[in-house]
Amino acid sequence: MKDLEKKLDAVLQQMRDFIDELQERESAYPMVFYHQSEEDISQFVDGGWSLPAEYVYFLRHYVVERVTWATGDYINLNIYGARDLIRGQEGYNYNPVTDEMIEDWPHDYLVIATDEGDPYCLDLSRGDTAVFTAPHGTGNWHFSMAYDNLILFLESLLIPPGLEEMLPEESSVAYYELTITGEGKDKLKTLLLLKKLLSYDYSQARKALEQPPLVIYRGVEAGALKLETELQAIRADFQKRKISLAEFIG
């Protein structure tokens, strides 16, 4: 469990950093951090809910309200913290108007997040944190596994649209920026690389190289490593810098 806690801490910190940076740039960004109380957690731990230990740890540390995630595959994903987890079940397993349980909802499914009505759930009968989802509005629920565990689900929030295929299967997401700082040992090879990367003609590449620094890549680590190898092979002058998700999509 200690290793899982460290991984959860790491991805939660990435989420906090992303929110902090967005709020610095957009003062109206709807985000509130609140102080977690033991009462928020005890209602689940002492209330007969068979929550996986990993998920309980998450509830103790995810202390964000009114944040929606619009990265990766999500339109407006809302992840429920301890304070609104019970309310998040309404309309799925519970009808607050009739005060009745909803018959066709899988009994052991706990809604932990929703994206424009599509629920993301834990199956509490399994004892793990595999995340299942299904489209809403089809008449019947047809669930499939979206992520093998909670950590992978949380990491998916930090993936910008269109980059999923570039990511390693089991790793935290990291973003890098590569910048040309000079013509390097072989100016011609550097020019040819700029032509390829930026779709420049020769005169455009030459003009750009005369005015460094020149950003040539922003993206995930896998792409940065590949380009870094090319730059090293032609002995170009360049810098590599780790950047945040907010910097990348900003």
Side-chain angles (χ1 to χ4, degrees), residues 160 163 166 174-179 215-221 223-224 227 241 243-250:
L163 292 181
M166 297 180 63
Y175 305 93
Y176 288 87
E177 177 183 89
L178 293 176
T179 304
V215 175
I216 58 172
Y217 179 84
R218 275 185 174 179
V220 294
E221 186 174 15
L227 182 53
R241 181 174 71 92
I243 60 175
S244 67
L245 173 62
E247 283 182 278
F248 174 71
I249 67 175

Side-chain angles (χ1 to χ4, degrees), residues 4-208:
L4 287 176
E5 289 178 3
K6 289 179 180 179
K7 290 180 180 179
L8 271 170
D9 286 340
V11 72
L12 285 169
Q13 187 60 52
Q14 284 184 284
M15 293 164 70
R16 292 187 191 104
D17 290 345
F18 176 49
I19 292 169
D20 284 341
E21 192 162 346
L22 273 182
Q23 200 175 38
E24 285 181 10
R25 291 166 32 207
E26 304 175 37
S27 58
Y29 190 75
M31 180 274 290
V32 174
F33 287 109
Y34 65 87
H35 178 69
Q36 184 76 273
S37 71
E38 189 56 37
E39 291 180 3
D40 296 328
I41 302 298
S42 61
Q43 61 181 319
F44 308 115
V45 177
D46 301 333
W49 292 45
S50 300
L51 301 182
E54 181 182 349
Y55 184 60
V56 173
Y57 186 88
F58 166 78
L59 290 177
R60 290 186 185 278
H61 295 82
Y62 185 75
V63 289
V64 181
E65 289 183 313
R66 299 199 295 277
V67 169
T68 58
W69 298 85
T71 57
D73 291 329
Y74 308 111
I75 300 172
N76 283 295
L77 183 76
N78 180 29
I79 303 177
Y80 299 128
R83 288 191 177 182
D84 51 6
L85 182 60
I86 291 178
R87 188 171 64 251
Q89 311 310 303
E90 295 179 359
Y92 296 99
N93 74 346
Y94 173 71
N95 187 331
V97 177
T98 63
D99 192 26
E100 295 176 334
M101 303 303 290
I102 297 175
E103 294 280 335
D104 65 348
W105 181 259
H107 175 71
D108 293 307
Y109 273 40
L110 175 72
V111 180
I112 65 170
T114 59
D115 186 27
E116 298 289 288
D118 294 344
Y120 286 80
C121 307
L122 299 182
D123 180 353
L124 299 184
S125 68
R126 292 169 56 100
D128 60 15
T129 59
V131 178
F132 296 83
T133 190
H136 76 289
T138 63
N140 293 290
W141 293 109
H142 299 288
F143 282 93
S144 60
M145 185 183 292
Y147 297 95
D148 289 340
N149 56 63
L150 178 64
I151 291 171
L152 291 178
F153 172 57
L154 297 178
E155 287 183 342
S156 74
L157 311 180
L158 304 171
I159 303 173
L163 292 181
E164 291 87 347
E165 68 280 358
M166 297 180 63
L167 296 173
E169 291 185 1
E170 294 284 346
S171 68
S172 296
V173 184
Y175 305 93
Y176 288 87
E177 177 183 89
L178 293 176
T179 304
I180 292 286
T181 58
E183 60 187 36
K185 299 296 183 181
D186 190 324
K187 182 178 180 179
L188 179 59
K189 288 182 179 179
T190 303
L191 287 171
L192 291 174
L193 183 61
L194 289 180
K195 285 181 62 181
K196 180 182 76 171
L197 293 175
L198 305 178
S199 300
Y200 283 171
D201 60 28
Y202 182 79
S203 61
Q204 288 174 318
R206 185 176 60 183
K207 184 175 181 180

